[in-house]
Amino acid sequence: MIDLHTHTTASDGQYTPAELIRKVAGKISVLAITDHDTVAGLEEGKKAAQECGITFVPGIELNINRPGCEFHLLGLGLKNPSKSLNDVIQKLIDSREERNQYVINKMLSEGIQVSLEQVQNDFPGQVLGRPHFAQWLEEHKIVKNRQQAFDKYLARGRPWYIERTGANLDEAIQAIYDSGGIPVVAHPMSLYLSWSKIEPVLADFKERGILGMECFHPGARVSECFRLEELARKLNFFVTAGSDFHGEKIRSDRKPGHTCGEKKIDDRFWFEELLPALEKNSR
């Protein structure tokens, strides 16, 4: 099995990069760490993967500015994070911090005595986001569990939700190329487009330099994933698959090496899809 989409404590995952690698050792042969808007965990992940005999794919998942949806862009096979990628990351961090302060202000208005520094101290070295606020609320018994925190306060349409400004798509694509990686559309169903509207949007992404599509993701139905693969072939994207694993305490329904319908992620997504694309891009 392989897995081309996972998260660690460098962003909003449960396990450190080394812990994640050790957890999947002996089960998964190729693993990508793709933390949100950070490359902080890649060196630790690379070292642990070498020790465990796992082929390591350094990656990132960037939030892209597109109103009314969740548009994430994977950068896979990063060789050396470039200045342009670090600049994109810094802009995203600044935007996230503004959003986090907004959440803090909302909590204060509800009579919850907390500061941004307090929450940050509870999650040292991590890129703070809504999952951390949800965990904080659970640990302080303000909600019963993380899901209730999202349902009541943090999800889209709830009182503490605020749109976060994402990266410019063209800048993000170029930054990934500058870093030796290749850009891939993450979980395309999160673009929230009908089948009649998604094809021209994806065709535009291809024209702008995106090379791959994560057609197989646990957030989509199996039938949708195969339909996305057909569309990817039509538009000349290569196809990837991932678990989007964050940890059992965060999403208990997701398992490393498994994707939609709990299907095992086949080696073809590495040997026949991503690896040839990486080799071609390196020439």
Side-chain angles (χ1 to χ4, degrees):
M1 289 190 298
I2 70 163
D3 199 332
L4 299 175
H5 188 163
T6 66
H7 296 275
T8 75
T9 53
S11 61
D12 58 348
Q14 176 181 338
Y15 299 101
T16 68
E19 287 171 344
L20 176 60
I21 294 292
R22 289 194 291 268
K23 177 179 177 62
V24 304
K27 305 171 188 174
I28 290 176
S29 58
V30 179
L31 184 82
I33 287 178
T34 54
D35 279 309
H36 296 285
D37 306 333
T38 183
V39 292
L42 296 185
E43 281 302 314
E44 180 183 332
K46 179 180 178 181
K47 180 180 178 182
Q50 289 173 338
E51 293 171 352
C52 294
I54 291 173
T55 298
F56 183 64
V57 182
I60 192 168
E61 184 174 11
L62 296 172
N63 182 51
I64 303 299
N65 191 34
R66 186 179 175 87
C69 72
E70 185 180 87
F71 182 12
H72 290 173
L73 184 67
L74 295 170
L76 296 178
L78 304 178
K79 294 180 178 64
N80 185 33
S82 62
K83 180 182 182 303
S84 58
L85 182 59
N86 287 327
D87 287 345
V88 167
I89 289 171
Q90 188 57 53
K91 290 178 184 177
L92 290 168
I93 289 172
D94 292 344
S95 172
R96 189 183 291 267
E97 288 179 350
E98 291 178 9
R99 185 191 197 194
N100 291 341
Q101 188 59 57
Y102 173 89
V103 175
I104 290 293
N105 292 341
K106 286 290 187 180
M107 293 170 75
L108 291 169
S109 72
E110 296 276 352
I112 301 169
Q113 296 304 307
V114 64
S115 69
L116 187 56
E117 290 72 24
Q118 284 177 287
V119 181
Q120 287 173 327
N121 289 338
D122 285 347
F123 304 97
Q126 298 184 39
V127 178
L128 205 64
R130 288 182 298 161
H132 301 95
F133 285 106
Q135 185 174 335
W136 190 93
L137 290 166
E138 178 185 1
E139 289 175 354
H140 288 77
K141 303 190 184 306
I142 296 166
V143 296
K144 292 181 180 179
N145 52 51
R146 292 162 57 95
Q147 188 58 51
Q148 187 183 58
F150 275 92
D151 292 343
K152 189 173 182 179
Y153 298 116
L154 296 165
R156 185 183 295 273
R158 299 290 89 199
W160 299 358
Y161 180 83
I162 182 173
E163 289 278 1
R164 181 163 60 92
T165 302
N168 174 274
L169 176 58
D170 297 310
E171 290 179 1
I173 291 171
Q174 188 58 54
I176 290 169
Y177 279 124
D178 290 345
S179 304
I182 49 179
V184 176
V185 180
H187 40 70
M189 298 306 294
S190 294
L191 292 169
Y192 305 137
L193 293 170
S194 66
W195 288 107
S196 63
K197 293 181 178 179
I198 196 171
E199 181 172 343
V201 170
L202 291 171
D204 175 63
F205 292 167
K206 186 68 168 61
E207 184 70 22
R208 292 162 79 168
I210 297 178
L211 297 182
M213 277 174 57
E214 185 186 42
C215 297
F216 292 86
H217 182 274
R221 300 183 182 92
V222 174
S223 60
E224 292 173 330
C225 293
F226 281 106
R227 189 168 180 179
L228 284 171
E229 182 173 19
E230 290 179 8
L231 184 54
R233 303 301 179 199
K234 180 179 179 179
L235 297 173
N236 201 29
F237 286 104
F238 70 84
V239 175
T240 72
S243 68
D244 204 353
F245 178 73
H246 286 69
E248 297 86 357
K249 293 181 180 178
I250 297 171
R251 286 296 300 264
S252 60
D253 58 326
R254 295 184 180 178
K255 301 175 183 177
H258 295 74
T259 188
C260 60
E262 298 188 358
K263 293 169 62 68
K264 291 183 179 179
I265 302 174
D266 192 82
D267 287 355
R268 75 177 177 96
F269 293 108
W270 169 246
F271 290 105
E272 299 174 24
E273 301 284 352
L274 179 56
L275 183 57
L278 288 170
E279 291 175 340
K280 182 178 179 180
N281 193 51
S282 66
R283 293 181 189 138

